[in-house]
Each structure stands twice: as C-alpha cells, then as structure tokens.
Amino acid sequence: MLLRHTIDSVSYGFRDLKDLLAKATPARAGDELAGVAAGSAVERVAAQMALADLPLRVFLNEAVIPYEADEVTRLIVDSHDAAAFAPIAGFTVGGFRDFLLSEEATGDVLTGLAAGVTPEMAAAVSKLMRVQDLVAVARKIRVVTRFRTTVGLAGRLSTRLQPNHPTDDPMGIAAAMIDGLLLGSGDAVIGINPAGDSVARTGELLRLIDGVRERYSIPTQSCVLAHVTTQIAALEMGAPVDLVFQSIAGTELANASFGVGIGMLEEAYSAALSLRRGTVGENVMYFETGQGSALSANAHHGVDQQTCEARAYGVARRFAPMLVNTVVGFIGPEYLYDGKQILRAGLEDHFCGKLLGLPMGCDVCYTNHAEADQDDMDALLTLLGAAGVNYIMGVPGADDVMLQYQSTSFHDALYLREVLGLRAAPEFEEWLRSDAPRRLTLPVVSQLAGEGL
C-alpha cells in the first residue's frame, strides 16, 4: 500500500501503514532516535492528512507487526469485536475524530464501541487530535473497577500510595504509608516498588501492608511491584496478595525483555482470582506501561513508540485490570525529551487507554536529566484531572528516593481534588471520615516496624 498526500505541489509518499503512523506522530525524541519520525513539520502534516483520509477498515486488514510473528498482534486481531465495530465501520480516521468530538459520542456510546476499536485505531485518531480534543473525549469515558474500593466513578480521583524505600526498611515504609493515609492517599492501591525482587522480601512487604490495612480496617488493596513470577511464588507460599502487578509493552519481543508473555499473565490472573480477596469486586491485575519501552528493548519492529504504547493496552484489557497507568516520563529524555513531549504523551496515553475501555491512571513524572520541571508536571496533572483520570501517584514529597525520579505528592492530589471538586473513592472517603485515621500516629510506626509485619 502506497499512501500519498500533496502539499504545495510536493508529493509525500508513505510506504505502508506503519510508516504512515510513524510520520503522522507529533514530534518526540524516541521516534527520531528510532529513525521513523517525519523529516520535517511539513511531512508530518502531509502524513496526518493522509491518515485522516484512511478508512478504519484498513486497520483490520493490515498489521503493523505481522500476525504470524507477534502474539500481541494475534491477541488484538483474535479479540476484535466486529459487532462493536459496526457503528464506526464506515468512518475514516478523520471521520472517527469528528464523531468522537460530537454530541452523539456520549460516554455510554463510547463504552459500547471499546471492544471494536483496535489499539492502532486509537493511536491513529489520537495523532489527529489537539490537546483539548484528547481531554474532551477522554472526559466522557468512565471506566469503573472494584476490589475493596471503587475506582473511576465520576467526580472522584484516587491515588496510589507509593511508600518506596531504597533498602525496603519497614520503618521508612510504614512512616510513608501513615503520612500518605493521613493526607487522603491510598484509595487506588498501596503499592511498593521493592528494592530487591526476592520471594521472601515480597512476602514481608505484602504482610506489612496487609497488617496495617487490617489493623485499621482500611478499605484499599495492596501490591508489591515485584516480577509477576515472584508475586505468584509469594502467593503460593501464603502471602496476602491482592493485586498482581506487571510492566507490559506492545510487542511480544518487548514483553519477553520483561520476562513475561501472555500465557504467563493468564496464569497470574487465574491465581489471583482464585484467592477471592476482594470485597466489592474482582478486578485483580495492575499494569504499568510507558512510551519508549519497546524501543529501549530494541523490540519495536519500526513501529512508532506511541502506537506501541497503545498496543500494550490491547494486552492489558484482556485481563480486566483494576489499574493501568502510563509511567509517562520515567524512561527518560531519549524518548520524551521535554515537558511538552511528556505532557502530550500523557494525554495521548490516557485518551487511548480510556477509548479501549481501560481504567487509566498516570504517573505524572520525569527524570532529572529531562528538559522538564515540576511546573510542567503541574500542567499535565491539571489537564489529566480535567480529562477524568482515574488515579495518580502519591509519593512523599513527589521525590521517589528509591527509583530516583520526580512524581506527584500527597499534596498534589489534595490540590487536584480541591480545585476540580473531586473526592476519594467512596469506601475510602467513608473511612477517612471515621475515627480510624486518628489512631494512625507516629508511635505506631515504631510498633509496626518492631513487630516485623
């Protein structure tokens, strides 16, 4: 397939769908690093105009990575819902954009379309959208999930309480947990990135969170973000596993670089469901993604990083996850160079995930060597709040001392809730209004750590 568009008597050609999607992508460092980006702003506009005229049906007939070579492609193709796709089957990509922005595209209508939209369709239409378009459409879509709390309801904003510690010290973790809980964080999950990936350490940290949760009757869920095989081994040894976590990407090779495949995720999903630890629902999986992960593993097959990211959402939705979030600026400036690129990517990811039916959150973050600062993150945070993001991160002081990157703080979540009139998950809000939080005092930290929970 040879696609062309002419601007000022200059004809720009695109050899296939993969090339067209890459050239139509708003500028970002990773695509330039991969050698797939448009050579000029004019070529980018030509690609976007050619993409706008492309029928959505083309995406069902041409894969950016061959079906035979990639299990993610096979999952996307085999799980496509033709009946859900039927209402938009006659649209071009540009027509789809116009429809998404119309009054006819209500939240209920878009929810009904989700199973008929492929990740590549979602990526394609996002490339034609302004920032305000990404916000306006995503805001219509509510994806609600449940375990011990209900996350994603309209008018609500949840947080992941992230009490990481560089040596997994129980005292430091417990102190950060109490700090976050007293500031209203933790209704999406209390999730620890462990410094080590051992089964024993994973079990210890899970018991620490679960001990605090049970002692103070906190309606939330726990997660230790070790490798999925480590978590399952801990589960088999009796550890109190609530949500099973894994980082995922949009190609089979990229997932292999994480040491996972779809079959392994299926096993983890079944194991977590079998525990029946949820009280208000059974969404048991937690996935993190990020633009650039496939390229950093040399596993992108020449596909642009934003389309690869959307394909990761195709993997995630197979497992009805409780939480999905893009760790948008974590991989570094080689992939998203500055605050503008990070902001655009965060809104694209949130939009694409919601359009595909996922409960999207975002780690609004950057590394210290990126051309970005906390003002950029404040802008993205506020835009995501307006777009109806399900949850954000709550990190002490917005500075993760273990992972060494900048994220959002407990106070940032309070700011967003106050400015936009948002509230915590209903079960967690009720707990915050009870007498239980008053017993979470500093002396308790020493007690919890000393008991070795």
Side-chain angles (χ1 to χ4, degrees), residues 97-447:
R97 172 191 175 274
D98 292 343
F99 168 73
L100 291 174
L101 290 165
S102 72
E103 293 182 356
E104 290 77 20
T106 64
D108 289 342
V109 168
L110 296 180
T111 297
L113 292 176
V117 178
T118 69
E120 291 85 355
M121 292 177 194
V125 74
S126 75
K127 298 176 192 296
L128 305 183
M129 302 179 90
R130 296 169 57 184
V131 161
Q132 65 176 252
D133 299 339
L134 296 171
V135 171
V137 176
R139 183 176 178 81
K140 300 180 188 183
I141 306 169
R142 305 308 311 188
V143 183
V144 179
T145 55
R146 297 174 174 87
F147 191 79
R148 291 194 192 95
T149 57
T150 304
V151 174
L153 294 168
R156 306 278 178 167
L157 172 72
S158 295
T159 61
R160 169 189 161 190
L161 173 46
Q162 186 170 310
N164 295 345
H165 191 278
T167 63
D168 291 334
D169 177 65
M171 177 79 78
I173 289 171
M177 285 172 56
I178 291 173
D179 187 24
L181 289 165
L182 290 175
L183 287 168
S185 279
D187 53 333
V189 65
I190 301 176
I192 302 172
N193 296 91
D197 195 54
S198 73
V199 175
R201 179 61 55 84
T202 297
E204 290 169 1
L205 295 176
L206 285 167
R207 285 187 287 274
L208 171 59
I209 304 173
D210 208 54
V212 175
R213 182 189 65 79
E214 289 196 331
R215 180 172 299 194
Y216 298 101
S217 303
I218 306 169
T220 190
Q221 31 283 335
S222 63
C223 186
V224 172
L225 285 70
H227 191 269
V228 64
T229 54
T230 304
Q231 295 168 79
I232 296 308
L235 180 154
E236 292 172 346
M237 295 179 66
V241 174
D242 289 343
L243 305 186
V244 172
F245 166 83
Q246 183 56 48
S247 294
I248 57 172
T251 75
E252 181 177 350
L253 281 177
N255 283 323
S257 75
F258 291 146
V260 298
I262 293 172
M264 185 182 296
L265 296 176
E266 295 273 10
E267 293 176 17
Y269 181 46
S270 296
L273 281 175
S274 70
L275 297 181
R276 300 187 180 277
R277 289 176 57 85
T279 56
V280 298
E282 55 181 19
N283 299 113
V284 296
M285 300 298 282
Y286 174 18
F287 296 115
E288 284 188 345
T289 66
Q291 289 194 30
S293 58
L295 175 57
S296 68
N298 194 28
H300 58 103
H301 299 274
V303 178
D304 70 89
Q305 66 182 39
Q306 192 256 333
T307 300
C308 282
E309 172 73 2
R311 283 169 54 91
Y313 304 151
V315 175
R317 69 176 172 180
R318 164 65 187 86
F319 301 99
M322 178 71 185
L323 307 169
V324 179
N325 73 262
T326 168
V327 193
V328 64
F330 182 75
I331 303 181
E334 300 85 355
Y335 307 95
L336 296 169
Y337 177 71
D338 57 15
K340 182 175 181 178
Q341 291 188 10
I342 292 171
L343 184 146
R344 169 85 196 187
L347 294 173
E348 286 171 349
D349 296 350
H350 178 254
F351 162 82
C352 288
K354 283 284 185 70
L355 191 60
L356 294 167
L358 288 175
M360 288 301 296
C362 184
D363 191 342
V364 181
C365 63
Y366 65 102
T367 58
N368 287 318
H369 61 310
E371 288 295 319
D373 59 26
Q374 211 65 39
D375 285 344
D376 296 312
M377 299 307 103
D378 284 351
L380 176 54
L381 173 68
T382 305
L383 285 166
L384 284 167
V389 70
N390 279 26
Y391 71 104
I392 60 170
M393 304 301 118
V395 178
D399 185 0
D400 192 302
V401 295
M402 197 278 281
L403 294 176
Q404 298 184 23
Y405 77 116
Q406 309 303 308
S407 185
T408 46
S409 71
F410 308 137
H411 296 85
D412 291 331
L414 293 177
Y415 147 76
L416 202 56
R417 285 173 177 164
E418 180 178 353
V419 168
L420 298 180
L422 304 172
R423 296 152 61 191
E427 301 87 352
F428 193 79
E429 183 181 48
E430 183 178 351
W431 177 80
L432 287 171
R433 295 182 183 278
S434 72
D435 290 333
R438 297 178 186 177
R439 296 185 283 118
L440 280 165
T441 58
L442 189 58
V444 175
V445 177
S446 299
Q447 182 182 358

